[in-house]
Each structure stands twice: as structure tokens, then as C-alpha cells.
């Protein structure tokens, strides 16, 4: 009997010993997340520093990054959270997240592991304040106008006036700080331009309209402007719309907020579809919807074969520009013509 009691006690001790590690290493489940966001819009950078402060214990902020490639109405970013040693993340839904500051709004959560999770956030009030008007509006001799860049502007909207009245209801838009209006100056008179800046962070936020000085166009100046405008328009045999040409394509990129896309507007007011566009800073392409192409695109050539090209996705002033003679962000190689190659061989289909 004594032996049985001893064996029973030994067995109990063994079970108790096995339970000790489980108790010692038990972790608490993180079921809710609370974060506060604060952006320094006066930092001088296009995309400001974002301070992210957790309001709960059990996790810390590893990093935050804006999604600068996004063309969404509101700025988007990702905050990466890491659980403390004694904690782990459960499944996190919108109802489990409390976000404050900059109009932060939960988009989705991606759990990389039990100890790491990424929270995608849009900022619906970021940059909701005022943005400065464009300044130093200056006319060029051939009907172009330029201005000083505005900090925090994603684009500029323009309206051409003659005699104090709008020529038409068209609102022009550009990401640059100049615009060639020569093709729209078709009569003598005194022209002016109204221009306002559109916020980088919130496309519904605009500056007040600034008005340029008057630009007087008499008959002799009109001939000069029309001559300059017509000389930039190629004839029907021009190869400016085909890759490999050295002719810069006349026209302007136009942003349409309703379509969330850039379009290439020709000097005659029409738009380019499935067309190569060459500007002073490189090659671009418009797809079958007229949208500026970004990312990888298979494009059919005159020989009937399709080749793959990569167009910049970053909103850095060169969005849509074709990569050439380099490596793409995802590690593939493109040749001098921009075509995707594997071991030096152009890939076709």
C-alpha cells in the first residue's frame, strides 16, 4: 500500500511538473487595439512624419508608412504592431480597433504572425485645413503660363478667361507648375487665368482661386501664338504615338477626380486611347479606357506580338513613366526599349 501511495505521489508530481511550463509561458490574447495618429504637416516634406501612439498595453508600434502609390481620395498608410513577449494578437476586425486623430479610419488588418499585425488606415481629415494659393503667375510670349509650386499640392486646376469671362466650362488640371494654353487662344483680346491648388492629402480641399495678370493678344501676337501651337502638332504620318519615336507628343495630362485617373488630352481637346505618349521626361502609355498606365502592362506592337513594360506606380511627379534599361521595383529586368527580358531575351506572347 505504501508503494502505491508513493507511485501515485510520483505520478502527480510528474503531471504537475509538465503543467509548470504551460502556466509559466501562458500569453494574454490582444483582442482590441487603440491608436492615436498625429501628422506634422509643417515638416516641409511632401509626406509628413506621422506619430502613432498606442493607448493600450501589450503591443508597440514597429513602424508606419504612407502608401504614396495610392490614388485614393484620402491618404492611406500602414502601421505595423508587434506584441510584447507575454501577449499575442487574436483576430482583429474594424469593431476591435479604436483609431483617433487625422480622421483615421480602419481599412483592414493583416496578421503576419501571432506577434505581428499590420493595420491599414485611411486619414479622412488629414490636410483638411487650408492650402495656399499659387503665386507669381507669369505669362510666356507664346501663351503659356507658369507659377510657383505650392507646398502640399497634388495638382493645380485652371480656367482660361477672356475679357473677364470664362472661355468655356472646362477646368484644366495639371501636376506641373506651368501650362501651355496656346491652342485655346483663338481670338484677340485680353486673357487671364484663374488657378487654384488641390491638396495632396484630400482632393476635395482646394485653395482660393488666384488670378493672373492680363495677357493682351492683338492680331500680330495671335499669329505668333497660333504658329507656335500649330508647329507642335504632328501630321497624320507622324510616329510620335509609337514607341521608338524621338518626337515629343503635344498635349497635357489631365486629372479626373471622378475617374480617379490621369488622361492625356491632345491639343484639339480629344483624349488618347491605347497610345504611346512621349514627353520631355520619358515614355508613357494610355490604356483602352484612356487611363495613364501604371505597373506591368502587356502592349501589342506593330508586329502583332505583345511585350511587357513597367510604368512607375509612385506618386512622385513621374507616375506612369516607363522604366528602361534598369531593374523594376519587383526585381525584373527591362531593356533600353523598356521591354521585359529574362536572361537577355525579350518576353513576348
Amino acid at each position: 500500500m505504501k508503494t502505491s501511495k508513493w507511485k501515485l505521489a510520483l505520478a502527480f508530481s510528474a503531471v504537475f511538473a509538465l503543467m509548470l511550463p504551460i502556466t509559466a509561458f501562458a500569453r494574454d490574447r490582444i483582442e482590441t487595439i487603440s491608436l492615436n495618429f498625429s501628422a506634422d504637416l509643417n515638416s516641409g516634406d511632401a509626406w509628413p512624419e506621422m506619430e502613432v501612439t498606442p493607448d493600450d498595453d501589450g503591443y508597440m508600434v514597429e513602424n508606419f508608412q504612407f502608401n504614396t502609390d495610392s490614388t485614393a481620395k484620402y491618404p492611406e498608410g500602414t502601421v505595423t504592431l508587434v506584441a510584447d513577449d507575454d501577449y499575442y494578437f487574436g483576430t482583429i476586425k474594424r469593431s476591435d480597433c479604436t483609431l483617433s486623430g487625422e480622421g483615421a479610419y480602419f481599412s483592414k488588418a493583416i496578421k503576419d504572425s501571432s506577434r505581428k499585425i499590420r493595420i491599414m488606415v485611411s486619414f479622412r481629415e488629414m490636410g483638411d485645413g487650408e492650402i495656399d494659393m499659387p503665386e507669381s503667375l507669369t505669362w510666356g510670349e507664346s501663351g503659356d503660363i507658369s507659377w510657383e509650386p505650392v507646398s502640399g499640392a497634388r495638382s493645380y486646376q485652371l480656367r482660361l478667361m477672356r475679357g473677364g469671362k470664362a472661355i468655356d466650362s472646362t477646368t484644366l488640371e495639371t501636376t506641373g507648375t506651368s501650362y501651355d494654353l496656346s491652342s485655346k487662344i483663338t481670338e484677340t483680346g485680353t486673357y487671364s487665368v484663374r488657378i487654384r491648388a488641390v491638396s495632396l492629402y484630400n482632393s476635395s480641399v482646394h485653395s482660393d482661386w488666384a488670378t493672373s495678370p492680363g495677357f493682351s493678344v492683338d492680331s500680330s501676337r495671335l499669329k505668333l501664338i497660333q504658329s507656335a501651337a500649330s508647329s507642335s502638332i504632328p501630321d497624320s504620318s507622324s510616329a510620335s504615338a509609337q514607341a521608338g519615336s524621338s518626337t515629343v507628343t503635344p498635349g497635357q495630362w489631365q486629372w479626373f477626380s471622378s475617374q480617379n485617373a490621369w488622361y492625356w488630352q491632345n491639343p484639339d481637346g480629344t483624349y488618347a486611347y491605347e497610345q504611346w505618349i512621349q514627353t520631355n521626361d520619358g515614355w508613357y502609355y494610355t490604356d483602352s479606357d484612356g487611363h495613364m498606365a501604371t505597373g506591368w502592362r502587356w502592349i501589342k506592337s506593330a508586329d502583332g506580338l505583345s511585350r511587357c513594360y513597367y510604368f512607375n506606380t509612385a506618386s512622385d511627379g513621374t507616375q506612369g513613366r516607363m522604366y528602361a534599361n534598369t531593374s523594376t521595383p519587383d526585381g525584373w529586368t527591362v531593356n533600353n526599349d523598356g521591354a521585359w527580358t529574362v536572361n537577355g531575351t525579350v518576353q513576348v506572347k
Side-chain angles (χ1 to χ4, degrees), residues 35 44 56 76 81 86 111 128 154 180 185 225 251 289 304 341:
L35 300 169
D56 290 337
E76 297 177 323
L81 305 176
D86 296 335
K111 191 163 72 171
D128 211 15
R154 80 163 68 189
D180 183 1
I185 298 176
I225 292 171
D289 294 320
T341 64

Side-chain angles (χ1 to χ4, degrees), residues 6-316:
W6 177 81
K7 289 181 177 179
L8 182 62
L10 185 62
F12 179 78
S13 298
V15 172
F16 183 71
L18 289 171
M19 292 175 61
L20 279 176
I22 298 175
T23 303
F25 291 98
R27 297 183 298 165
D28 293 329
R29 177 189 176 99
I30 300 171
E31 297 181 343
T32 61
I33 289 173
S34 181
L35 300 169
N36 178 265
F37 296 85
S38 178
D40 181 9
L41 299 181
N42 297 316
S43 65
D45 299 323
W47 291 97
E49 292 291 327
M50 178 69 79
E51 182 178 351
V52 187
T53 307
D55 294 329
D56 290 337
D57 295 328
Y59 55 89
M60 62 178 292
V61 176
E62 182 178 71
N63 62 52
F64 172 86
Q65 284 188 322
F66 280 109
N67 179 8
T68 56
D69 293 343
S70 173
T71 56
K73 178 178 180 180
Y74 302 108
E76 297 177 323
T78 301
V79 57
T80 302
L81 305 176
V82 177
D84 295 340
D85 290 340
D86 296 335
Y87 293 85
Y88 71 98
F89 290 107
T91 300
I92 300 297
K93 307 182 295 296
R94 176 176 286 119
S95 58
D96 302 321
C97 280
T98 301
L99 308 179
S100 60
E102 308 297 347
Y105 185 82
F106 177 94
S107 296
K108 65 179 177 179
I110 299 175
K111 191 163 72 171
D112 296 327
S113 68
S114 63
R115 293 199 58 219
K116 181 176 287 191
I117 194 168
R118 288 174 288 150
I119 309 296
M120 280 64 172
V121 184
S122 63
F123 301 96
R124 299 188 173 187
E125 295 176 5
M126 183 175 160
D128 211 15
E130 295 181 354
I131 182 171
D132 293 336
M133 290 190 304
E135 297 181 346
S136 302
L137 278 67
T138 305
W139 283 98
E141 290 295 318
S142 299
D144 57 300
I145 192 163
S146 60
W147 57 91
E148 293 294 324
V150 175
S151 177
R154 80 163 68 189
S155 62
Y156 303 89
Q157 295 178 339
L158 303 88
R159 293 177 181 170
L160 181 61
M161 320 285 287
R162 185 178 65 247
K165 296 182 179 180
I167 289 180
D168 53 39
S169 59
T170 303
T171 298
L172 309 171
E173 193 157 1
T174 180
T175 58
T177 55
S178 64
Y179 203 103
D180 183 1
L181 295 161
S182 59
S183 64
K184 295 183 175 296
I185 298 176
T186 59
E187 300 179 25
T188 59
T190 300
Y191 290 80
S192 61
V193 172
R194 299 185 70 204
I195 178 172
R196 66 182 182 182
V198 181
S199 172
L200 172 66
Y201 313 113
N202 188 332
S203 60
S204 63
V205 174
H206 313 98
S207 73
D208 291 334
W209 289 99
T211 303
S212 74
F215 180 58
S216 181
V217 178
D218 57 18
S219 57
S220 59
R221 184 181 291 276
L222 181 62
K223 289 180 180 179
L224 173 66
I225 292 171
Q226 291 178 335
S227 174
S230 62
S231 66
S232 67
I233 301 176
D235 59 30
S236 59
S237 63
S238 171
S240 65
Q242 300 181 25
S245 166
S246 60
T247 304
V248 173
T249 312
Q252 293 278 350
W253 287 110
Q254 304 291 339
W255 173 258
F256 285 83
S257 300
S258 60
Q259 301 296 319
N260 198 32
W262 289 100
Y263 291 77
W264 182 264
Q265 186 178 38
N266 300 312
D268 62 0
T270 61
Y271 293 92
Y273 296 87
E274 295 185 308
Q275 181 175 318
W276 284 98
I277 304 294
Q278 186 184 24
T279 70
N280 288 323
D281 64 346
W283 284 99
Y284 297 77
Y285 189 77
T286 57
D287 61 21
S288 58
D289 294 320
H291 299 172
M292 172 195 284
T294 58
W296 285 105
R297 297 294 181 100
W298 285 97
I299 299 173
K300 183 174 287 188
S301 302
D303 60 7
L305 297 175
S306 293
R307 294 165 177 81
C308 202
Y309 303 85
Y310 186 85
F311 301 91
N312 186 20
T313 61
S315 301
D316 58 0

